[in-house]
Amino acid sequence: MAAARAAPPRRPRLLLPLLVTLLLPAPSDGFGPSAELAFAVEPSDDVAVPGQPVVLGCRVEGTPPVRITWRKNGVELPESTHSSMLANGSLLISRFQLDQGGSPSDEGDYECVAQNRFGLVVSRRARIQAATMSDFHVHPQAAVGEEGGVARFQCQIHGLPKPLITWEKNRVPIDTDNERYTLLPKGVLQITGLRAEDSGIFHCVASNIASVRVSHGARLTVSGAGSGAYKEPAILVGPENLTLTVHQTAVLECVATGNPRPIVSWSRLDGRPIGVEGIQVLGTGNLIISDVTVQHSGVYVCAANRPGTRVRRTAQGRLVVQAPAEFVQHPQSISRPAGTTAMFTCQAQGEPPPHVMWLKNGQVLGPGGHVRLRNNNSTLTISGIGPEDEAIYQCVAENSAGSSQASARLTVLWAEGLPGPPLNVQAVSVSPTEVQVSWDEPLVNTKEIIGYVLHIRKAADPPELEYQEAVSKSTFQHLVSDLEPSTAYSFYIKAYTPRGASSASAPTLASTLGEAPAPPPLSVRVLGGSSLQLLWEPWPRLAQHDGGFKLFYRPASKTAFTGPILLPGTVSSYNLSQLDPTAVYEVKLLAYNQHGDGNATIRFVSLRGASERTALSPPCDCRKEEATDQTSATGIVIGIHIGVTCIIFCVLFLLFGQRGRVLLCKDVENQLSPPQGPRSQRDPGILTLNGAGRGERGQLGRDGKRVDAKELEQLFPSAGAAGQPASRPNPRPTDPGAHALWEETRLSMLPLQGFGRREEMALEAKAPRTGPAAALPPQEVGPGLLSEGQAPWPSATPAAQPACSGQ
């Protein structure tokens, strides 16, 4: 059982001089009528002894008269014989007591409250707790050691304030001057270089202002000298994880054994230097850091090294240093005209990062209305200030290590003779984008009004997003336009004079009328020969108004649509499959809501090109690609050789080709002349290229299938001339040069499907034709042998003439 010992005589507490100091009134010199209301002394946390007096300090500076009161746990503390307020505002609890016999306990959080005609401020919270001492929950244990070895005892006990731990051997206090005895503040006794006279019974003694307690005894037995055999270095006890507050002392324990005796060293896991200021080694390897700061936080590594070798053992512990909240930027008192915006800013730091809150005349101030908090509550914005906003605002920063507060005053400047607020403000929605706002002029001081300013914002937006519109002084209504449909808006108005603005009118709300949605942007992607993917932007607001999308599609040659396909407003794509790969499709997408269907977005798309490309480019063989990747190095080498060879042949081909072309151009000009005769006998290729003969123009495609005329006009508007009725005369110039330009114009209007095999045409252009070869049938001089802009005869080739004109 733990033995109880009478508390030692306490040192006299300097209460009487403190009381005399606190009872003296605070000096008022140097504080004029403009002095801000602020705390010169604030209460601090304390531990009280039951039955003893407690004083909580508080001193306030500011414009008199100043009224001071106290709160306990947020409730105003009434005057009584048990607790009373001193002359300077400090609180005296004559006899601190716990909860006994129905009387309330004096433990709790206390705040000093000061108020004058400008506002009210509240001090930081001070926590008062009763001094206590628990029983030992860890007693020292018996130990056996060899001479020259190490012994360690430990005890643990909780108390307020933190108990002071000392040790006794055989009921006699241990001599702390003995370098072999190390006492750590956390209740650890280390004995190094053990000797026979160290044997005995050890007790742990814990004391504070509440009590003194003695632990169980633990016997230490020291045996004879060790064998002297080699022993690997080992760490018996390593550093523990610690959480401290700045300015406290950190004790990182490290006890190592081994033969020979290991060397103990310390380092930080992050590689930063530990430093030397405030650092000391206690005993054979304990690290002591005095007056810790946040920079001391980190993981510390204790290493036990065998002398002369790299053999080592390590242990580590984390040190966390907390810092109470403190301000790096205080809010500043400001004066602002009525109707403007006031802003306070405070920046606080601490570890962990503090939480910031605001008080208005001692009451918690939250966001809402014309009050806005931003930047993690570090910025307070008050828009459209009025007389009711004139107050003292406090920024309170608090974390687990402590709290701090700073205050500032807002003064609202109010000119005499300003008009009152506009009356009877009403807002009526007249369209999906317009609201009519009307009002009556103020009751007083209306002669100097120079105009009105209407303040507008969405009801869901913060006040700082509002905008204003100016209105003439003779106008008592205003049409607000460019609004969003089906949206609620807030309106209020102020009257302006040369001396300032009136107070704001009462705000009014109005919602714009709804309307059908706008056409959605639509894009189409061809996935294959028979599939389309439709893409558009999702409109989540449609779901809020019972809306969505409607999708229709059809082949362009048919009159009936497939659909509607109903899609929710959150969907942004849809796939159409099993389509006719030879058809042109018309796709229509529209958005709808409770007000009806919006205009549709229409797209035409052809699948014919996609199906042909799919046939020409079959899907890849992935296994084949994998095999190719395995021989990629060989392929790269071969490809380089092939590429170099191709470049050489191309250069030679260009050089010899250019020389032959110069000689051939003159020969072609001399030997070939424009053929004469009726058109029907000399340009069958052009007729074939345009789709058919004069009587069948617009009826046949390149593959011989019949093509709808409307479909051609939709897909190829430039081919409209080719699809005109045969009865329409086609003017034909008689000049040979104009004839070539006319032929080029006709060919440039044709769809690209009509062109191909340009390499063969290039060979044909170099060889002059004579005799029957100049009048080949259509299947031999058809579109496969013609390139864009080229006539059927070499002399009429528009591309060939400029090349030869320079000879």
Side-chain angles (χ1 to χ4, degrees), residues 92-109:
L92 171 63
I93 301 175
S94 59
R95 186 179 178 84
F96 186 83
Q97 62 183 17
L98 297 177
D99 189 2
Q100 295 177 354
S103 59
S105 172
D106 291 324
E107 287 188 306
D109 295 333

Side-chain angles (χ1 to χ4, degrees), residues 422 424-430 433-439 453-459 466-469 478-481 483-484 487-494 504-512:
N424 301 326
V425 179
Q426 297 181 354
V428 178
S429 180
V430 297
T433 60
E434 296 176 325
V435 171
Q436 182 80 30
V437 182
S438 60
W439 64 93
V453 173
L454 181 61
H455 297 251
I456 309 158
R457 68 176 175 91
K458 293 181 181 179
E466 75 172 20
Y467 63 97
Q468 299 85 31
E469 292 185 4
H478 183 69
L479 183 64
V480 183
S481 57
L483 304 178
E484 295 184 7
T487 304
Y489 285 85
S490 173
F491 306 90
Y492 68 90
I493 193 167
K494 293 181 182 180
S505 69
T508 184
L509 295 175
S511 296
T512 53

Side-chain angles (χ1 to χ4, degrees), residues 32-33 35 37 60-68 114-120:
L37 187 64
V60 182
E61 299 170 347
T63 303
V66 177
R67 178 176 177 265
I68 297 178
Q115 184 176 12
N116 66 2
R117 62 189 179 93
F118 297 114
L120 180 148

Side-chain angles (χ1 to χ4, degrees), residues 221-239:
T221 302
V222 180
S223 61
S227 61
Y230 169 77
K231 292 183 180 180
E232 287 283 344
I235 295 179
L236 297 181
V237 179

Side-chain angles (χ1 to χ4, degrees), residues 212-269:
V212 176
R213 295 191 183 277
V214 180
S215 71
H216 297 164
R219 181 177 296 277
L220 171 61
T221 302
V222 180
S223 61
S227 61
Y230 169 77
K231 292 183 180 180
E232 287 283 344
I235 295 179
L236 297 181
V237 179
E240 297 178 344
N241 296 332
L242 296 177
T243 299
L244 303 176
T245 306
V246 290
H247 308 307
Q248 291 183 329
T249 299
V251 179
L252 300 174
E253 185 181 9
C254 187
V255 179
T257 63
N259 191 17
R261 183 178 177 181
I263 300 174
V264 177
S265 62
W266 286 90
S267 63
R268 287 177 60 116
L269 189 61

Side-chain angles (χ1 to χ4, degrees), residues 244-246 293-294 321-326 349-354 399-402:
L244 303 176
T245 306
V246 290
T293 64
V294 175
V321 181
Q322 297 183 342
E326 62 178 356
Q349 66 181 8
E351 185 61 38
N399 64 5
S400 57

Side-chain angles (χ1 to χ4, degrees), residues 75-94:
V75 179
E76 185 172 343
L77 192 65
E79 288 278 352
S80 67
T81 57
H82 178 64
S83 60
S84 58
M85 191 169 58
L86 305 180
N88 70 339
S90 299
L91 179 66
L92 171 63
I93 301 175
S94 59

Side-chain angles (χ1 to χ4, degrees), residues 535-597:
L535 303 169
W536 64 90
E537 291 293 331
W539 289 1
R541 290 189 59 185
L542 289 175
Q544 302 173 7
H545 299 86
D546 302 327
F549 295 101
K550 293 182 180 180
L551 176 64
F552 304 83
Y553 69 96
R554 67 175 180 180
S557 59
K558 296 184 179 180
T559 58
F561 279 95
T562 300
I565 301 173
L566 300 180
L567 302 171
T570 55
V571 172
S572 60
S573 64
Y574 190 80
N575 292 348
L576 297 177
S577 57
Q578 298 181 355
L579 303 178
D580 184 359
T582 63
V584 176
Y585 278 86
E586 178 182 357
V587 180
K588 182 167 64 174
L589 181 71
L590 60 87
Y592 70 94
N593 58 16
Q594 73 270 29
H595 302 288
D597 294 348

